[in-house]
Coordinates of all heavy atoms in Angstrom, one line a residue:
L678 N 14.7 16.6 37.0 CA 14.8 15.2 37.4 C 16.1 14.8 38.1 O 16.1 13.9 39.1 CB 14.6 14.3 36.0 CG 13.4 14.2 35.3 CD1 13.5 13.6 34.0 CD2 12.3 13.4 36.3
L679 N 17.1 15.4 37.7 CA 18.5 14.9 38.3 C 18.6 15.2 39.8 O 18.8 14.4 40.5 CB 19.6 15.7 37.4 CG 21.0 15.3 38.0 CD1 21.2 13.8 37.8 CD2 22.1 16.1 37.2
H680 N 18.3 16.5 40.1 CA 18.5 17.0 41.6 C 17.3 16.7 42.4 O 17.4 16.5 43.6 CB 18.9 18.4 41.5 CG 20.4 18.6 41.0 ND1 20.6 19.0 39.7 CD2 21.6 18.5 41.5 CE1 21.8 19.0 39.4 NE2 22.4 18.7 40.5
Q681 N 16.1 16.8 41.8 CA 14.9 16.8 42.7 C 14.6 15.2 42.8 O 14.1 14.9 44.0 CB 13.7 17.4 42.0 CG 13.9 18.9 41.9 CD 12.9 19.6 41.1 OE1 12.1 18.9 40.3 NE2 12.8 20.9 41.1
V682 N 14.8 14.3 41.8 CA 14.2 13.0 41.8 C 15.3 11.9 42.1 O 15.5 11.3 43.0 CB 13.4 12.7 40.5 CG1 13.1 11.2 40.6 CG2 12.2 13.5 40.4
I683 N 16.4 12.1 41.2 CA 17.3 11.0 41.3 C 18.4 11.2 42.4 O 18.6 10.4 43.4 CB 18.1 11.0 39.8 CG1 17.2 10.6 38.8 CG2 19.3 9.9 39.9 CD1 17.6 10.9 37.5
K684 N 19.1 12.4 42.5 CA 19.9 12.6 43.6 C 19.3 13.0 44.8 O 19.7 12.7 45.9 CB 20.8 13.7 43.1 CG 21.9 13.3 42.1 CD 22.9 14.5 41.9 CE 24.1 14.1 41.0 NZ 25.0 15.1 40.8
G685 N 18.2 13.8 44.7 CA 17.6 14.4 45.9 C 16.8 13.4 46.6 O 17.2 12.9 47.6
T686 N 15.6 13.1 46.0 CA 14.6 12.3 46.8 C 15.1 10.8 47.0 O 15.0 10.2 48.1 CB 13.2 12.1 46.0 OG1 12.8 13.6 46.0 CG2 12.2 11.4 46.9
F687 N 15.9 10.3 45.9 CA 16.1 8.9 46.1 C 17.4 8.9 46.8 O 17.4 8.3 48.0 CB 16.4 8.4 44.7 CG 16.9 6.9 44.8 CD1 16.1 5.9 45.3 CD2 18.2 6.5 44.3 CE1 16.5 4.6 45.4 CE2 18.5 5.1 44.5 CZ 17.8 4.3 45.0
K688 N 18.5 9.3 46.4 CA 19.8 9.1 47.0 C 19.9 9.8 48.3 O 20.3 9.2 49.3 CB 21.0 9.6 46.0 CG 22.3 9.3 46.5 CD 23.0 10.5 47.0 CE 24.4 10.3 47.5 NZ 24.9 11.4 48.1
D689 N 19.8 11.2 48.4 CA 19.9 11.9 49.6 C 18.9 11.7 50.7 O 19.0 11.9 51.9 CB 20.0 13.4 49.4 CG 21.2 13.8 48.5 OD1 22.2 13.0 48.4 OD2 21.2 14.8 47.8
H690 N 17.6 11.3 50.2 CA 16.5 11.1 51.2 C 16.3 9.6 51.6 O 16.7 9.1 52.5 CB 15.3 11.6 50.7 CG 15.4 13.2 50.5 ND1 14.5 14.0 49.9 CD2 16.2 14.1 51.0 CE1 14.7 15.3 49.9 NE2 15.9 15.3 50.6
L691 N 15.7 8.9 50.5 CA 15.2 7.5 50.8 C 16.4 6.7 51.2 O 16.3 5.8 52.1 CB 14.5 6.9 49.6 CG 13.1 7.7 49.3 CD1 12.5 7.2 48.0 CD2 12.2 7.6 50.4
V692 N 17.5 6.6 50.4 CA 18.6 5.7 50.7 C 19.2 6.1 52.1 O 19.4 5.1 52.9 CB 19.7 5.8 49.7 CG1 20.8 4.9 50.0 CG2 19.1 5.4 48.3
E693 N 19.3 7.3 52.5 CA 19.7 7.6 53.8 C 18.8 7.3 54.9 O 19.2 6.8 56.0 CB 20.2 9.1 53.8 CG 21.3 9.4 52.9 CD 22.6 8.8 53.3 OE1 22.9 8.6 54.6 OE2 23.3 8.4 52.4
W694 N 17.5 7.4 54.6 CA 16.4 7.2 55.6 C 16.4 5.7 55.9 O 16.2 5.3 57.0 CB 15.1 7.6 55.0 CG 14.9 9.1 54.9 CD1 15.8 10.0 55.4 CD2 13.8 9.7 54.4 NE1 15.4 11.2 55.1 CE2 14.1 11.0 54.4 CE3 12.6 9.4 53.9 CZ2 13.3 12.0 54.1 CZ3 11.7 10.3 53.4 CH2 12.0 11.7 53.5
V695 N 16.7 4.8 54.8 CA 16.8 3.4 55.1 C 18.0 3.0 56.1 O 17.7 2.3 57.0 CB 16.9 2.6 53.7 CG1 17.3 1.2 54.0 CG2 15.6 2.6 52.9
Y696 N 19.1 3.7 55.8 CA 20.2 3.3 56.7 C 19.8 3.8 58.0 O 20.1 3.2 59.0 CB 21.4 4.1 56.2 CG 22.6 4.0 57.1 CD1 23.3 3.0 57.2 CD2 23.0 5.2 57.9 CE1 24.4 2.8 58.1 CE2 24.0 5.1 58.8 CZ 24.8 4.0 58.8 OH 25.8 3.9 59.8
D697 N 19.2 5.0 58.3 CA 18.9 5.5 59.6 C 17.8 4.5 60.3 O 18.0 4.2 61.5 CB 18.2 7.0 59.4 CG 19.2 7.9 59.1 OD1 20.4 7.8 59.2 OD2 18.8 9.0 58.6
Y698 N 17.0 4.1 59.5 CA 15.9 3.0 60.0 C 16.6 1.8 60.6 O 16.3 1.3 61.6 CB 14.9 2.7 59.0 CG 14.1 1.4 59.2 CD1 13.2 1.4 60.2 CD2 14.5 0.2 58.7 CE1 12.4 0.3 60.5 CE2 13.8 -1.0 59.0 CZ 12.8 -0.9 59.9 OH 12.2 -2.2 60.2
L699 N 17.6 1.3 59.8 CA 18.3 0.1 60.3 C 19.1 0.3 61.4 O 19.1 -0.5 62.4 CB 19.3 -0.4 59.2 CG 18.6 -0.9 57.9 CD1 19.7 -1.2 56.8 CD2 17.8 -2.1 58.1
V700 N 19.6 1.5 61.7 CA 20.4 1.8 62.9 C 19.5 2.0 64.1 O 19.7 1.6 65.2 CB 21.2 3.0 62.6 CG1 21.8 3.5 64.0 CG2 22.4 2.8 61.6
I701 N 18.4 2.7 63.7 CA 17.3 2.9 64.9 C 16.8 1.5 65.4 O 16.6 1.2 66.6 CB 16.4 3.7 64.3 CG1 16.8 5.2 64.2 CG2 15.1 3.9 65.4 CD1 15.8 6.2 63.6
T702 N 16.5 0.6 64.4 CA 15.8 -0.6 64.6 C 16.9 -1.6 65.3 O 16.5 -2.3 66.3 CB 15.3 -1.2 63.4 OG1 14.3 -0.3 62.9 CG2 14.5 -2.5 63.7
H703 N 18.0 -1.7 64.8 CA 19.0 -2.7 65.2 C 20.2 -2.2 65.9 O 21.0 -3.1 66.4 CB 19.4 -3.5 63.9 CG 18.3 -4.1 63.0 ND1 17.7 -5.3 63.4 CD2 17.8 -3.6 61.9 CE1 16.7 -5.5 62.4 NE2 16.7 -4.6 61.5
G704 N 20.3 -1.0 66.1 CA 21.5 -0.6 66.8 C 22.6 -0.3 65.7 O 22.7 -0.8 64.6
D705 N 23.7 0.5 66.3 CA 24.7 0.9 65.3 C 25.5 -0.4 64.7 O 25.7 -0.5 63.6 CB 25.8 1.9 66.1 CG 25.1 3.2 66.2 OD1 24.3 3.6 65.5 OD2 25.6 4.0 67.1
A706 N 26.0 -1.3 65.7 CA 26.7 -2.4 65.3 C 25.9 -3.3 64.2 O 26.4 -3.6 63.2 CB 27.1 -3.1 66.6
Q707 N 24.7 -3.7 64.7 CA 24.0 -4.6 63.8 C 23.5 -3.9 62.6 O 23.6 -4.4 61.4 CB 22.8 -5.1 64.6 CG 22.0 -6.2 63.7 CD 22.9 -7.4 63.4 OE1 23.8 -7.8 64.1 NE2 22.5 -8.2 62.3
G708 N 23.2 -2.7 62.6 CA 22.8 -1.8 61.5 C 24.0 -1.7 60.4 O 23.7 -1.9 59.3
N709 N 25.2 -1.6 60.9 CA 26.3 -1.5 60.0 C 26.6 -2.8 59.3 O 27.0 -3.0 58.3 CB 27.6 -1.0 60.7 CG 27.5 0.4 61.1 OD1 27.1 1.2 60.1 ND2 28.0 0.9 62.1
I710 N 26.3 -3.9 60.2 CA 26.5 -5.3 59.6 C 25.5 -5.5 58.5 O 25.8 -6.1 57.5 CB 26.4 -6.3 60.7 CG1 27.5 -6.3 61.7 CG2 26.2 -7.8 60.2 CD1 27.3 -7.2 62.8
I711 N 24.2 -5.0 58.7 CA 23.3 -5.2 57.7 C 23.6 -4.4 56.6 O 23.4 -4.9 55.3 CB 22.0 -4.9 58.2 CG1 21.3 -5.8 59.3 CG2 20.8 -4.8 57.1 CD1 20.1 -5.4 60.0
M712 N 24.1 -3.2 56.7 CA 24.4 -2.4 55.5 C 25.7 -2.9 54.7 O 25.7 -3.0 53.4 CB 24.8 -0.9 56.0 CG 23.6 -0.1 56.4 SD 22.4 0.2 55.2 CE 23.4 0.8 53.8
D713 N 26.7 -3.6 55.4 CA 27.6 -4.4 54.7 C 27.1 -5.5 53.8 O 27.6 -5.7 52.7 CB 28.7 -4.8 55.8 CG 29.5 -3.7 56.3 OD1 29.6 -2.7 55.7 OD2 30.0 -4.0 57.4

Side-chain angles (χ1 to χ4, degrees):
L678 287 168
L679 180 61
H680 292 97
Q681 294 170 351
V682 176
I683 298 167
K684 285 185 175 181
T686 304
F687 178 69
K688 183 257 178 182
D689 292 340
H690 297 166
L691 294 177
V692 173
E693 292 301 319
W694 294 353
V695 166
Y696 174 73
D697 293 341
Y698 163 79
L699 294 173
V700 170
I701 291 172
T702 305
H703 301 281
D705 286 339
Q707 185 61 28
N709 285 322
I710 291 174
I711 293 174
M712 287 303 301
D713 287 338

